[in-house]
């Protein structure tokens, strides 16, 4: 009996390796599936990723902002009040 | 002979692992590509931008909109609210807009010029937020634009445009 068990040592070791590797594979798969689920939920295209002309984006030409600027060039009375009112929308 | 048997078992086992990995990859691809892109935020931004662009050109408000006459914004701004005939969208309009034109010299809010169109019942939904201040995903996505404009006589006007897009059935995974 002892001799038979001694002969199986290599097989037991191999099976253990496979069992552990299976667990690792399964755990990795579950992690990947869940992270894919999280990525899938975040598939939103938001305006923050596209420049539509926020008043504070100084890098690009902002046509929405330029509309108000053109109007200010024609009549700039109450400029601070108007700018404050416009910025209320961007802050919200 | 014994060794040959164990090799066969391991190759079977290996085959099972390959199937599990393949199923995992399939699940990942399916989960990712079955989720729709939510483009309503951009859509409502485009809608409000188009309306603002129509009302104010180069900082000048079109006198037609402040004449006091009844104005059809959709026709005048070349907009249409027709949508694909899915999810019974034909019965309820999936867009709305509300325009408020405030003449700065007039302090009385009742003199403000108002235009609206589409499914304005959704307007209230724009302001509903959860406890953390986040918008609910399945509600309408709204966008507000504010610009300053002057008329031909240099009278000052503040233009506020609120737009919203429904279509949650197609943009949010149900």
């Amino acid at each position: 009996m002892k001799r038979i068990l001694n002969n199986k040592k290599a097989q037991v070791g191999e099976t253990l390796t496979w069992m552990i590797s299976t667990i690792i594979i399964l755990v990795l798969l579950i992690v990947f599936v869940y992270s894919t689920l999280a990525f899938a939920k975040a598939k939103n295209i938001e305006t923050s990723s596209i420049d539509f002309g926020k008043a504070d984006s100084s890098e690009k030409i902002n046509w929405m902002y330029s509309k108000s600027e053109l109007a200010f060039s024609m009549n700039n009375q109450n400029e601070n009040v108007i700018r404050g009112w416009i910025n209320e929308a961007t802050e919200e | 002979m014994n060794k040959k048997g164990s090799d066969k078992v391991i190759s079977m086992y290996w085959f099972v692992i390959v199937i599990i990995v393949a199923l995992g990859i399939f699940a990942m691809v399916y989960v990712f590509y079955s989720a729709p892109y939510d483009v309503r935020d951009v859509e409502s931004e485009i809608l409000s931008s188009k309306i603002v662009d129509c009302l104010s050109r180069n900082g000048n408000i079109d006198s037609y909109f402040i004449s006091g006459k009844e104005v059809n914004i959709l026709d005048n701004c070349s907009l249409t609210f027709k949508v694909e005939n899915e999810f019974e969208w034909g019965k309820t309009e999936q867009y709305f807009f509300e325009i408020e034109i405030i003449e700065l010299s007039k302090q009385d809010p009742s003199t403000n010029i108002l235009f609206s169109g589409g499914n304005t019942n959704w307007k209230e939904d724009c302001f509903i937020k959860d406890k953390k201040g986040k918008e609910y995903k399945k509600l309408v996505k709204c966008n507000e634009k504010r610009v300053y404009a002057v008329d031909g006589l240099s009278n000052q006007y503040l233009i506020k445009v609120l737009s919203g897009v429904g279509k949650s059935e197609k943009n949010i995974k149900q």
Side-chain angles (χ1 to χ4, degrees), chain A residues 14 18 22 32 36-37 43-47 52 63-64 67-68 71-72 74-75 77-78 85 88-89, chain B residues 10 13-14 28 31-32 35 37-38 41-42 45 49 52-53 56 58-59 104 145-146 148 154 156 159:
Chain A
E14 205 165 14
W18 272 103
T22 309
F32 277 118
T36 312
L37 206 70
K43 275 168 78 175
N44 296 344
I45 299 173
E46 288 181 351
T47 44
F52 276 100
W63 68 269
M64 186 64 69
K67 276 182 187 296
S68 297
F72 279 126
M74 288 180 261
N75 187 347
Q77 282 182 341
N78 307 306
W85 181 81
E88 269 177 37
Chain B
I10 285 173
Y13 197 77
W14 177 239
M28 281 184 267
V31 161
F32 188 78
Y37 280 97
D38 190 356
D41 195 34
V42 177
E45 175 96 27
S49 299
V52 167
D53 197 33
S56 162
N58 301 324
L104 209 63
K145 288 246 173 288
R146 292 182 182 195
Y148 164 58
S154 278
Q156 296 177 299
I159 303 168

Side-chain angles (χ1 to χ4, degrees), chain B residues 30-55:
Chain B
Y30 180 79
V31 161
F32 188 78
Y33 286 103
S34 66
Y37 280 97
D38 190 356
V39 294
R40 294 173 303 155
D41 195 34
V42 177
E43 215 174 345
S44 67
E45 175 96 27
I46 291 168
L47 178 59
S48 59
S49 299
K50 285 275 177 195
I51 293 169
V52 167
D53 197 33
C54 170
L55 295 171

Side-chain angles (χ1 to χ4, degrees), chain B residues 100-103 105-114 157:
Chain B
E100 192 176 358
I101 301 171
I102 306 157
E103 192 176 345
S105 59
K106 291 177 182 169
Q107 297 294 320
D108 185 9
S110 64
T111 58
N112 293 351
I113 302 161
L114 292 166
Y157 291 91

